[in-house]
Amino acid sequence: MKRLFIIFLFTLLLATTIGIWSYSYFESHEEATIETSRIREYSTIPSESGMFERAGFAMEYANMPLDQEHQRKLKDYYDNRAFYGAPPTVPHPIEEGGIGSKACLKCHQNGGFVDKYQAYTPVTPHPDKSNCVQCHVRVKSNSFFVPSSWVSNTAPSTGNQALKGSPPIVPHSLQLRENCLSCHAGPSAVKEIRTTHPERINCRQCHVINEKKTVDIGTFKREIK
Ligand code: HEC
Ligand code: HEC
Ligand code: HEC
Ligand code: HEC
């Protein structure tokens, strides 16, 4: 009886040893997995990453022939806004039932020529703001506003370069304007501000923000003391 008990004890010990060893053996051969929930999300600075959003289109824009007949002008761009910086009004009919972003993004996400409006679709700088008609509306009346003392703001001037041939400064703020290529490149880009070099995708490497006007100081002479 005593011997039987000892044999039983040894078998049990052997079985557990084999069990534990094989468990750790197979465990060590498993593919390593990363528990994604444990990785902290590091986000990039939004205004910088937005700049590269349409980078995939840069070469296409650079090689595209220019359609002289259907160019948008800066005047039309401003005329379509109540004041500088205001969301542009929708110059075409809004299709029935089509108020969701999908209805608008089928044209405004990547642009393209629309026969019935005889124009290139301006590319939206913010495809993520899905409720488009919250901000973009049709003009229904021109007599709604009564005259008041409110003075409208004006657009900053362009062509502000330190020297002839230097990169002009960015005259506007970058809030909601991170995505440079959506406004400055492609066939829908406004003629006066369409860039000759969409392929240099890191725009802010050369174009700095400065909303001040640089003044001509005449011939520069260093004072020697
Ligand atoms: C069939 C393609 C198409 C669809 C769908 C469409 N648009 Fe347009 N959109 C255009 C074109 C083309 C223009 C340029 C018209 C012009 O310059 O005369 C334009 C111009 C605009 C403009 C003026 C932009 C500016 O800078 O002046 C706004 C705002 C606009 N659309 C908003 C919308 C909204 C909001 C929707 C969805 C309810 C929408 N669009 C659906 C093709 C489209
Ligand atoms: C929170 C308000 C808001 C929402 C929502 C919004 N927009 Fe805009 N949108 C603006 C403002 C403000 C501007 C003017 C930007 C500027 O001039 O800096 C603008 C500019 C535009 C332009 C003009 C770009 C150009 O080159 O002329 C288009 C096109 C446009 N939006 C389309 C859309 C579409 C399509 C949607 C829906 C997916 C949408 N917007 C959602 C506020 C909005
Ligand atoms: C919503 C459309 C829009 C976006 C997005 C946008 N811009 Fe502009 N940009 C304009 C307009 C319009 C002007 C003309 C001045 C004005 O109205 O602010 C301009 C002017 C400029 C000028 C001056 C050009 C000259 O000839 O002097 C530079 C440089 C410029 N932008 C760079 C940028 C850069 C870099 C970005 C991205 C970080 C950017 N823009 C994003 C619309 C835009
Ligand atoms: C390597 C430096 C560099 C980079 C990067 C760069 N630019 Fe420029 N950009 C310049 C210079 C230099 C000029 C002035 C050209 C002249 O006056 O002959 C200029 C001029 C411009 C102008 C005035 C119109 C024109 O083309 O002459 C606009 C608008 C503009 N750049 C937008 C952009 C945008 C948008 C981007 C990003 C896609 C960008 N730039 C990237 C150097 C750069």
Side-chain angles (χ1 to χ4, degrees):
M1 194 61 205
K2 202 177 162 198
R3 190 180 292 168
L4 214 61
F5 178 72
I6 289 172
I7 291 172
F8 170 74
L9 211 66
F10 267 99
T11 334
L12 196 72
L13 212 64
L14 197 71
T16 22
T17 314
I18 292 171
I20 291 169
W21 180 84
S22 55
Y23 176 77
S24 67
Y25 176 81
F26 287 116
E27 196 67 343
S28 70
H29 279 69
E30 248 174 37
E31 284 277 314
T33 52
I34 299 164
E35 277 183 55
T36 41
S37 62
R38 292 216 190 140
I39 300 174
R40 255 182 66 197
E41 294 259 342
Y42 289 99
S43 50
T44 49
I45 303 165
S47 62
E48 292 261 349
S49 63
M51 196 167 58
F52 302 103
E53 238 162 65
R54 296 190 62 76
F57 293 86
M59 284 319 289
E60 212 176 302
Y61 288 150
N63 297 326
M64 223 175 240
L66 188 66
D67 183 349
Q68 300 279 6
E69 310 233 307
H70 301 98
Q71 292 201 82
R72 200 151 57 119
K73 294 192 188 71
L74 206 49
K75 189 183 177 299
D76 301 325
Y77 177 95
Y78 292 137
D79 282 354
N80 214 12
R81 289 153 163 81
F83 52 87
Y84 178 70
T89 52
V90 186
H92 54 70
I94 293 180
E95 286 157 61
E96 293 232 9
I99 58 160
S101 68
K102 271 200 194 132
C104 314
L105 287 181
K106 70 178 176 196
C107 295
H108 284 282
Q109 178 120 43
N110 293 322
F113 192 73
V114 178
D115 271 334
K116 61 180 167 181
Y117 307 145
Q118 280 297 301
Y120 285 95
T121 319
V123 174
T124 176
H126 40 251
D128 51 306
K129 299 214 165 12
S130 55
N131 192 1
C132 315
V133 290
Q134 176 196 352
C135 303
H136 298 287
V137 292
R138 291 268 303 150
V139 177
K140 292 220 170 121
S141 155
N142 280 321
S143 56
F144 186 71
F145 295 105
V146 291
S148 74
S149 58
W150 188 69
V151 186
S152 187
N153 55 355
T154 47
S157 58
T158 54
N160 200 356
Q161 290 160 291
L163 300 166
K164 204 171 185 297
S166 321
I169 58 152
V170 184
H172 52 70
S173 82
L174 293 186
Q175 190 182 18
L176 287 174
R177 289 187 165 194
E178 299 97 359
N179 191 344
C180 322
L181 286 174
S182 65
C183 295
H184 284 285
S188 70
V190 173
K191 190 179 163 191
E192 292 90 336
I193 55 158
R194 181 202 245 118
T195 176
T196 50
H197 43 267
E199 73 287 355
R200 299 181 202 163
I201 53 171
N202 194 358
C203 316
R204 288 169 60 187
Q205 178 193 354
C206 303
H207 296 281
V208 295
I209 307 149
N210 177 4
E211 289 167 67
K212 295 192 198 87
K213 182 109 189 103
T214 46
V215 286
D216 188 0
I217 57 156
T219 313
F220 176 73
K221 267 194 203 138
R222 192 179 296 278
E223 269 183 58
I224 302 161
K225 283 180 190 154

